[in-house]
Amino acid sequence: MDFPPFFIDFFGNRLLIAVIAIIHVFINHAFAVGAYPLVTFMEWRAFRKKDPASDELAYKITFVLFVVTTSLGALTGVGIWFSTSLIAPFAIGSLLRVFFWAWFIEWLVFITEVVLIVLYFLLWKRWREGILKKLHIALGVLLSVFSWFTMVIIVAILGFMMGSGKWPADQSFFSAIFNPIYLPQLAFRTAYAMGIAGLCVWFLLFFFTEKGSLLRQRAVRFVSVWMLAWVIPFIAASIWYYHTIPANMLANLGVAMLTQKFMQWHQTLAIIMAVTIGVIIVVAAIGAIKPKLIPSVLLIVPFALGLWLLGHFERVREFIRKPYVIADYMYSNGVKLDELPVFQRDGVLTYANYVTNHRVTADNMVAAGRDVWVVTCSRCHTTRGINSMMTKFTNLYGNDPWDKDAMIAFIHSMHMTRTYMPPFPGSDKEAEALVAYLMQMQVDHKFILGAQNDWTVKPTPATQQPTGP
Amino acid sequence: MLIISKIHSLLAILMIQMPSPGDIELPLPLAESDLKLFLVILFLAHILFVNLMVGGSLLAVIFEIIGLSNPKYDALGKSVSRTITVNKSLAVVLGVGPLLCISLAYTIHFYSANALTGYGWIAVVPLVTLAFLLAYVHKYSWDRWTGDDKRAHIMVGIGAALLFLCVPFIFLTNINLMLFPADWVNVKGFFSSLRVGNVFPRFFHFLTASLAITGLFLTWWFGRKKFPVEESLPGFTRPGLRRLFYRLVFYLTLAQLIFGPMLLFTLPAEGITAVMLIVIFSGVAIVIALLIALSREIDAADTSIGKSFVLVALLLTTVVLAMGTGRHLYREGALAYHKTIVTNQTDTFHSIVVATQMRLAAGLGAGDALATGPTGESVFRNCAACHAVDKVLAAPPLTDIYSIYKGDPQGIVAWARAPGKKRPEFTQMPSFAHLGDEQLELVAEYMLQKGSGASQTTSGADSGS
């Protein structure tokens, strides 16, 4: 777990990953997985009904899909690699070793997907007639399948992080892949992607059709029917997923604080799911019956709801895996479960390279506490920014000078009451130092700079010695 | 070679503190050597399209600018820009494979370099996105932004080309920084990491290679029978285009005879090995053959130009393979020493974890904290790969050392901090200054005690777990 600590105080590490990942997931679900089958379907229908205007419309929409998916979509996908390798190299490095072949296949699928996207778009105008047109539609079908395959593989890994199933016991690739949350999550994401893609395409077609035109009405009706068709699978998948999660939660933890907080979010999730499905049904039904009635502005409502649902869904998903980054194997601060007693006995600074103090003494309490903070807290918390330690402790102890002994006791026991927190991976001395630093921070706050900024360390090889049994 | 060993000892003195982190414990999913083979091959496939992306966007806008005074070049620029869409997408997707491999084969080194250049590293994502969007605008507005808008159109092209240049620069900085762990502690952000190693010569080498490879690609692209030269590019002929791009490849390859040595001579000495030099110079020899083949093609008559294209392409591929292999050998050489430190650290820490878990399983509790700190015996694990008690491994045995330094542990400390080279039969000893005086003193005492024969029970070589 020993890497130079990249750290953005204020903005927060988590938010960097979240922003990139949410943009990516949204583009992936709405534009790639959902919209490519939809435009292929549109193209096929235009071909069968000999309707060149609809074909042209599908082409224009595909142009937008092509530009967005091959730039922002592809790059935010790679961006997830980049941001996680900065913030949680220990986690992504471990996941890579477990899932190398899954990711390797994912990569081949990804290459195929991008090649198909490029071919599908660039050949549209060249393969126009007869058998060539049929081939082009087949290309669209193939592209849709490969877009979905990327999701099939990656969701296995996401599911694994939330519940590793039998893997910690047998460490086999297949136990890792077929973790309990995999299939329900895949079903949920697939149905969601198909539904939300309808909204996306609906939005786009307003830019390429004239108000009141027959083409627009036909297109709106077509997209509405598509969305209605996905409502039932979406409801079914939502219920399945919604019920799998608590089962997994209870199996994993189910302790008061976490369960309470989770239950609140879980209920919110249910409400957003229900409202989103309801609004989509209403909008799509009106679109199917009276396509003229829906102005583009109104579409923002289900669209925003869809975004919120996805954001909240990802948030709950991220929450469930806590306090782990890999369930039952590694905590979110990079400490492995089997390393914990070693750090608690010897001190985490003893083994750390990128700190200025390796041992807590009477003279270096605050400075060593700062080092402890960077090693054990900075992956998730900031000092005074988003998700800050100051706020957490102010909420707990108020604005008066904090009580040292109470805080030390809290550090040692926080994981018992706040089960989304990992246990403190340091010695008693280090807990004291950490508290000294926090108390210092309460009166005289300085932002902490990460390894990517100005940064002082004194790496000395850890003073290690095996303690024989 | 004498100079290199001088540089080595100089570096050794400078190498005061080197981070020695442990690695991730889970086993690699495939053999390390296979992983590295994958890495080299997949990287070369990726870099080919990066070259075409960078070279293509530069040439497109250069031709467009020439086109302001000589209109036929505007059409040529446009034709070049049409190739970028596919090449740039392949450059990105093909980048993921080598990224996976390097993250596994060099986890500690690669991720550490990423973190140290953090803002630069993460900036790759928005920069490439923007570059792609500008490239799309440049391509799809070529016929629309004419007249007064032409200047704006050229600016968009220049913008895209500059962004495309920035991104490989950031990657190169990372790949360069990961090779020199001793410098990590001094790096303060992306820009300060440019002082480490030789980023700029590497970048010029890359840039020239990009243009040369794009030149060869375009020789093929416009030379194809299917490409309608007369319709699309009025004023050009197929043989003329072939000659134009062959010339480009020729002069750029000639320029590499300057940039190449510049890169080689500015490389820090750490990773330079004889094998690596042999591979690189074999590459150089093929470059000479390539230049001859190119000049023959350029001088050939219109009817026969392009006949030796396959030969030229094969020669260039061989050069690329040689340089790619040389590059990998340099990395291996540069990291060899630090990798042993990392492996040692991983094993030691693992044994502590296992021992602790065994105690816990036996109901003994975790035991007392490591109050004693390092011992001579534990520090000696850093030395045991080369020094044994009374056997010659890769270095003199402890009995020898005892006879030299008897009663003078500080002598060993001074030597270990900045080793010289006395005995021709052994390789240069690396500096152990990073261990710090406290540990060096402990290990010196331990070595003298072992070397004196006071205790014959354990030899250092088998104390690693």
Side-chain angles (χ1 to χ4, degrees), chain B residues 211-261:
Chain B
L211 287 166
I213 285 176
T214 309
L216 196 65
F217 164 74
L218 293 174
T219 311
W220 167 75
W221 182 255
F222 292 122
R224 287 173 308 152
K225 288 263 155 31
K226 272 178 74 181
F227 191 87
V229 176
E230 281 75 17
E231 289 163 47
S232 313
L233 301 171
F236 288 105
T237 61
R238 180 168 293 122
L241 280 172
R242 279 180 176 159
R243 196 165 288 121
L244 171 71
F245 287 109
Y246 267 144
R247 281 221 170 92
L248 192 70
V249 182
F250 180 81
Y251 287 115
L252 288 164
T253 310
L254 210 56
Q256 290 291 42
L257 290 180
I258 298 165
F259 288 127

Side-chain angles (χ1 to χ4, degrees), chain A residues 1-9 16 20 63 66-68 70-72 74-76 78-83 85-86 89-98 100-101 103-104 107 110-111 114-115 118 121-122 167 171 326 329 336-343 345-346 350-351 353-354 359 451-469, chain B residues 17-30 35 38 42 85-86 88-90 92-101 103-104 107-108 111-112 114-119 121-122 124-125 128-129 132-133 136 139-140 171 184-185 187-190 345 348-349 351-353 355-360 366-375 378 381 434-435 439:
Chain A
M1 57 164 277
D2 220 0
F3 295 91
F6 173 91
F7 176 54
I8 314 175
D9 211 350
L16 180 69
I20 295 175
F63 174 67
F66 165 74
V67 168
V68 174
T70 56
S71 60
L72 195 59
L75 264 307
T76 45
V78 180
I80 297 177
W81 283 107
F82 278 56
S83 57
S85 74
L86 286 178
F90 41 83
I92 199 75
S94 304
L95 285 173
L96 253 175
R97 284 167 196 237
V98 179
F100 175 75
W101 291 112
W103 261 312
F104 195 81
W107 176 54
F110 176 46
I111 295 175
V114 170
V115 168
V118 171
F121 172 66
L122 294 179
W167 180 79
Q171 300 221 344
I326 301 171
Y329 177 74
K336 279 165 56 211
L337 268 62
D338 61 357
E339 295 169 353
L340 185 70
V342 177
F343 289 143
R345 182 190 64 204
D346 304 338
T350 312
Y351 300 101
N353 265 273
Y354 302 98
R359 217 161 285 179
Q452 79 282 16
N453 284 310
D454 193 356
W455 170 67
T456 332
V457 287
K458 226 162 64 187
T460 54
T463 49
Q464 294 167 355
Q465 169 202 18
T467 49
Chain B
Q17 289 173 323
M18 193 191 279
S20 46
D23 206 346
I24 288 172
E25 250 180 46
L26 291 168
L28 288 173
L30 66 168
L35 200 57
F38 264 40
L42 296 180
T85 322
V86 176
K88 64 110 182 78
S89 278
L90 285 174
V92 166
V93 294
L94 289 178
V96 175
L99 190 67
L100 288 177
C101 293
S103 304
L104 278 169
T107 313
I108 288 289
Y111 286 163
S112 297
N114 293 170
L116 289 167
T117 60
Y119 288 140
W121 179 243
I122 200 70
V124 164
V125 177
V128 180
T129 309
F132 278 21
L133 292 174
Y136 284 133
K139 175 180 169 181
Y140 290 108
F171 272 98
W184 292 351
V185 282
V187 169
K188 304 207 177 300
F190 176 78
Q345 206 70 356
T348 314
F349 185 61
S351 64
I352 295 175
V353 170
T356 310
Q357 289 297 337
M358 280 166 70
R359 283 188 63 101
L360 288 170
D368 294 329
L370 289 181
T372 48
T375 62
S378 71
R381 284 198 198 95
H434 61 277
L435 292 176
Q439 296 204 36

Side-chain angles (χ1 to χ4, degrees), chain B residues 135-165:
Chain B
Y136 284 133
V137 172
H138 191 235
K139 175 180 169 181
Y140 290 108
S141 65
W142 200 295
D143 295 328
R144 266 180 262 168
W145 295 12
T146 49
D148 291 345
D149 294 336
K150 190 65 178 169
R151 196 176 289 253
H153 188 258
I154 291 177
M155 291 315 286
V156 169
I158 293 176
L162 286 180
L163 287 174
F164 278 133
L165 283 177

Side-chain angles (χ1 to χ4, degrees), chain B residues 8-21:
Chain B
H8 246 300
S9 45
L10 189 70
L11 274 169
I13 295 164
L14 292 174
M15 220 165 18
I16 298 163
Q17 289 173 323
M18 193 191 279
S20 46

Side-chain angles (χ1 to χ4, degrees), chain B residues 200-340:
Chain B
F200 290 97
R202 288 179 85 152
F203 187 65
F204 286 122
H205 190 63
F206 158 82
L207 191 57
T208 318
S210 289
L211 287 166
I213 285 176
T214 309
L216 196 65
F217 164 74
L218 293 174
T219 311
W220 167 75
W221 182 255
F222 292 122
R224 287 173 308 152
K225 288 263 155 31
K226 272 178 74 181
F227 191 87
V229 176
E230 281 75 17
E231 289 163 47
S232 313
L233 301 171
F236 288 105
T237 61
R238 180 168 293 122
L241 280 172
R242 279 180 176 159
R243 196 165 288 121
L244 171 71
F245 287 109
Y246 267 144
R247 281 221 170 92
L248 192 70
V249 182
F250 180 81
Y251 287 115
L252 288 164
T253 310
L254 210 56
Q256 290 291 42
L257 290 180
I258 298 165
F259 288 127
M262 233 171 75
L263 162 60
L264 190 63
F265 292 132
T266 52
L267 270 179
E270 276 97 323
I272 294 179
T273 58
V275 183
M276 173 231 164
L277 288 176
I278 291 169
V279 171
I280 295 281
F281 283 113
S282 332
V284 176
I286 303 164
V287 168
I288 308 294
L290 173 66
L291 284 170
I292 295 168
L294 276 167
S295 69
R296 284 205 179 153
E297 278 283 84
I298 294 167
D299 293 340
D302 277 4
T303 45
S304 59
I305 187 169
K307 286 236 166 83
S308 309
F309 180 83
V310 175
L311 174 69
V312 171
L314 273 178
L315 286 172
L316 188 62
T317 310
T318 320
V319 173
V320 170
L321 279 173
M323 297 306 171
T325 310
R327 187 174 171 282
H328 176 73
L329 292 172
Y330 180 78
R331 176 165 54 216
E332 286 293 290
L335 289 180
Y337 172 51
H338 192 249
K339 277 211 148 187
T340 61

